[in-house]
Amino acid sequence: MKLRKAYIKNFRLLKNLELNFSTSEKQPLTVIRASNETGKTTCLRALTWALYGKNALPKSKGNTFSLAPADMNQQSNVNISVEIEFETDTVMNPGRPNQNIKKKIYKLKRQVTEKIMPDEGNSQLNEFLDLYEVTESGLKSISENHEINEIIENAIPKELKDIYFTDGDAAMSFIEASASKGVKRKRVSDAIERLLGLDSLENAIRHTGDIASRFSKQIDNTDYASALTTNKDMIEALEMELKHEDENVRVAEENIKDSNSGIEKTQASIDEIIRHGNRNELIKKRNDLQERKQSAENSGKESLIRLASILSSRSLANSLISGVGMAGMDILNQMSEKKQLPKANIPVMKELLERSKCFCGASLDESDGEGNKRREHIKHTITASEEADLLSEVATSLYYSLRDEEFGKDSRDVWMKTFSDNVNKLAQSDGESQQCNHDLEQIEDKINGLKDKSLEVYKTKMRAHRETLSSSQIRLGEATQQMRSLEAKIAQAKSKRAQLERKLDRADVNTSKMRTARIAEEVFTSIFNKMKDQEVDAVSAEMNRIFLEMIGASKDPENNELSLISRAELTKDFDIAVYGPNGHKLNPDDDLNGASRRAITLAFILALTSVSQVDAPNVIDTPLGMMAGYVKQSVLLRAIEEGSQVILFLTQDEIKGVERILDKYAGIVFTLTNPAHYPEMLVNKPEVEDLRIIRCECNHNVSCHICERKFIEIQ
Amino acid sequence: MQARNPYASYQIDIPKQYQDLVKKYSRSADTKTSPEYAPFERQVDIWFLAFLIAVNFDLDPIREKDRYGAVSAAILDRDPYRISLIQICALGKTKNIEILKESRATFDFALQMANAGFPKLFQILADNESTPLFSLLDELECITKPT
């Protein structure tokens, strides 16, 4: 990148200033001759502000760095702008065979409106950045901010602005004694990193480190793998238990089915038994019937016996002999009527003798006189009777034995009643017996039709089936319930498993990402360190070369005992070290003069630009201060040689002694004058009335009415 | 009532020809036989009913020589009224009061009348229309029916 020109408007003292820069390769030097307080630093700031915005401005505590000219009216809005025209070499078709480098010219304009408020601090409004590509067809606007920034960044990276836009004093910061060693090292380290792009790498390291940390924080330290294993084991156990319960369900269902079938069959058997009758009940019935039958038969037999007894009955006999009997009784009756039958009966009388009283109640007691008397009479009668005819006896006995007998119809009625009654009873008995026989037959048939097993056996079987059914149903319920519970647990465990897997994945992902980030960080760090080491060595070597050339140190210090400085080195610790004869380390603060110190810092900067191979202008404000003679020339020459475009703000004093170099290498030289130096330092009164830097085209060899300065010698 | 059994020393003889029938229709030989088929408990009972049937039918007494002693007439002690009936039948049949003092004569009368009555009795008993008992009872019902 090369600066072509810049137009600065209202940027502090630079109210209307155009700067143009040499882009010649043969005369790459641009010299802007300017005394102190002539806006040199302001020019640098204007340029960097244009490129990088307010971040390039010095940090002012609490206040915005004011850009507007100090003499602007209060409460006025000042339009501030800086235009830079620059050219870059853009690689067309990078990486392709037809790759070529094309020069592109851009016009950059940054502008801002600043409201003048001295007491409160100026406020900046409406900052705009425009970039145009200068093409053959005109200005081509680059509207996208990111594209603008990319082009600028490619031209001169922001991190390098302090390298390429620097002043000699700032360069001294690398070795200035006022800074602590750590500060100096950091400055050197930062400079190296910035120029070599190591800060990008360092940013990448930091970024990847942050990413790694972020992922690390996202990593759950929970041992999800272990938890997942436990979870999977649990699922396996639950599934096995589920399988077991499923088997239990199946067995229970089968048992239920079998039990129901058994119940059905047993019930059918029971029903059949009941239809046919219970064997025991049938047997009991049979027995009852048999008893009834027996009873009936017995009753029948009794009836028969009673009927048969009629044949031997008195009444039958009387009825059979009725005529003859009555005829015989007639004869006896006649005899009785004729008193031919004794009234007394000897047996009766003999019986009376055995009694103490007569049938009539009279006493027959022997101790009793009357009784004894009667007894004697009876004895007498007995004797008399015995003395009667045997016939009379028999006839009399017969008569009295049959006197009350009924012959004929009455006696017939007696045995006929018996006959009738017992015939009826016999008929009943026979009927009962027959019915019993009939019933017995049926019962016997039923009994014979019964199966061997009794109802009780089937009832026992039924109970067993029902018990099995009940227990199976309970078991089925329990197993089903258990299955549901297990299924829910399994679902829950699987959900947990998925969760763990996700977390594991995430953990793995996060771990993976973290590791990737860490690896990237390590790689970047490694690259960074390596590059740093390499670049440090490279810079060190280059710095040493440039520095020694600047100061005119012998190229063979070992053979030149007069050389004070044998070499300069950029250590791994980012110390800029200078060594004297025999490798003795010199203290830059004590052992180097100001010129050498400035030279070495410039050498460091130039070494950085050389090693970085960044094609960017070196814009240095007063690089040659404190230098004189050989060193000044050498430094200038080295700067010109090492830089691709060197833009130097030089005071008149700095120019002294290097005019020939400027003549040779300065493509553009012009002078900036601060009218405020009139009359102390300027010969002529400036023609402007406000505070502003004025440019004239005088070079180091001439001066004009604007820039002519007085020779001042302070007494 | 009879003071004693005038026939106690006698033997109730039954014609041998009726021996089997007597045994058949009496349960003394086989007590298990149903009264329906062996209506008479004892041989004396069948003998006495034969006597009564003969009296009822006014059959003539029949002397049988070929007889067997079925049972002692002392058995009539158990049914003393039978003795009275024999006597009264003898009296009524003979119209001779004197027969009463002839116990042998009255007893023979009974024997002979029974001999006369057996055929009728067995005829009745052998009626196939009914069992012996009911044949007999039915017949007895008829023959005792008042005219």
Side-chain angles (χ1 to χ4, degrees), chain B residues 5-50:
Chain B
N5 180 8
Y7 309 130
S9 63
Y10 302 145
Q11 186 84 359
I12 297 175
D13 293 325
I14 298 173
K16 268 194 181 176
Q17 62 179 316
Y18 304 128
Q19 184 175 12
D20 291 338
L21 290 174
V22 168
K23 285 182 180 179
K24 175 181 176 181
Y25 292 114
S26 63
R27 298 192 293 279
S28 61
D30 186 0
T31 58
K32 293 181 183 178
T33 307
S34 169
E36 203 167 356
Y37 295 93
F40 302 98
E41 185 179 353
R42 301 168 296 177
Q43 292 186 42
V44 65
D45 297 326
I46 193 170
W47 172 80
F48 190 74
L49 185 61

Side-chain angles (χ1 to χ4, degrees), chain B residues 84-145:
Chain B
S84 302
L85 291 186
I86 291 171
Q87 291 174 340
I88 201 66
C89 286
L91 179 61
K93 186 80 173 172
T94 62
K95 301 288 194 298
N96 181 9
I97 194 65
E98 296 295 329
I99 196 172
L100 293 179
K101 57 179 192 180
E102 302 292 335
S103 61
R104 182 74 229 184
T106 56
F107 188 72
D108 285 341
F109 167 75
L111 290 176
Q112 292 166 13
M113 287 302 285
N115 293 338
F118 275 124
K120 186 63 178 173
L121 177 57
F122 291 135
Q123 178 189 4
I124 297 169
L125 288 172
D127 188 353
N128 291 328
E129 289 187 1
S130 186
T131 59
L133 174 63
F134 287 100
S135 295
L136 184 57
L137 286 171
D138 289 339
E139 188 65 23
L140 291 173
E141 180 185 2
C142 287
I143 61 177
T144 59
K145 198 172 188 179

Side-chain angles (χ1 to χ4, degrees), chain A residues 60-195:
Chain A
S60 178
K61 291 182 183 179
N63 295 327
T64 306
F65 183 83
S66 178
L67 300 178
D71 60 345
M72 286 292 181
N73 294 330
Q74 292 186 15
Q75 300 299 325
S76 61
N77 290 340
V78 181
N79 293 327
I80 302 160
S81 66
V82 175
E83 289 182 26
I84 296 177
E85 186 177 302
F86 62 92
E87 64 183 47
T88 62
D89 290 331
T90 303
V91 177
M92 306 303 289
N93 303 319
R96 295 191 177 180
N98 57 346
Q99 169 180 307
N100 55 40
I101 298 174
K102 181 182 177 184
K103 191 189 295 292
K104 286 191 175 181
I105 299 172
Y106 294 96
K107 276 192 176 177
L108 173 78
K109 182 176 181 179
R110 189 183 293 272
Q111 55 186 336
V112 71
T113 302
E114 190 166 298
K115 187 172 184 180
I116 307 298
M117 296 186 292
D119 297 332
E120 299 161 16
N122 296 352
S123 64
Q124 293 172 356
L125 310 167
N126 304 327
E127 183 173 322
F128 297 104
L129 177 64
D130 298 309
L131 182 66
Y132 301 92
E133 183 184 348
V134 179
T135 65
E136 291 176 353
S137 57
L139 294 178
K140 175 184 170 187
S141 173
I142 297 171
S143 56
E144 295 294 329
N145 281 342
H146 74 274
E147 205 173 336
I148 295 173
N149 293 330
E150 187 180 336
I151 292 171
I152 296 171
E153 195 69 19
N154 287 337
I156 302 180
K158 183 171 60 182
E159 290 75 19
L160 302 179
K161 66 177 176 58
D162 292 334
I163 299 296
Y164 289 98
F165 295 87
T166 187
D167 59 46
D169 294 333
M172 290 290 287
S173 66
F174 294 111
I175 59 168
E176 63 184 2
S178 61
S180 66
K181 186 180 271 188
V183 171
K184 285 188 283 188
R185 282 177 178 172
K186 183 132 186 352
R187 285 175 182 162
V188 171
S189 170
D190 288 349
I192 292 174
E193 290 175 10
R194 285 200 298 273
L195 187 65

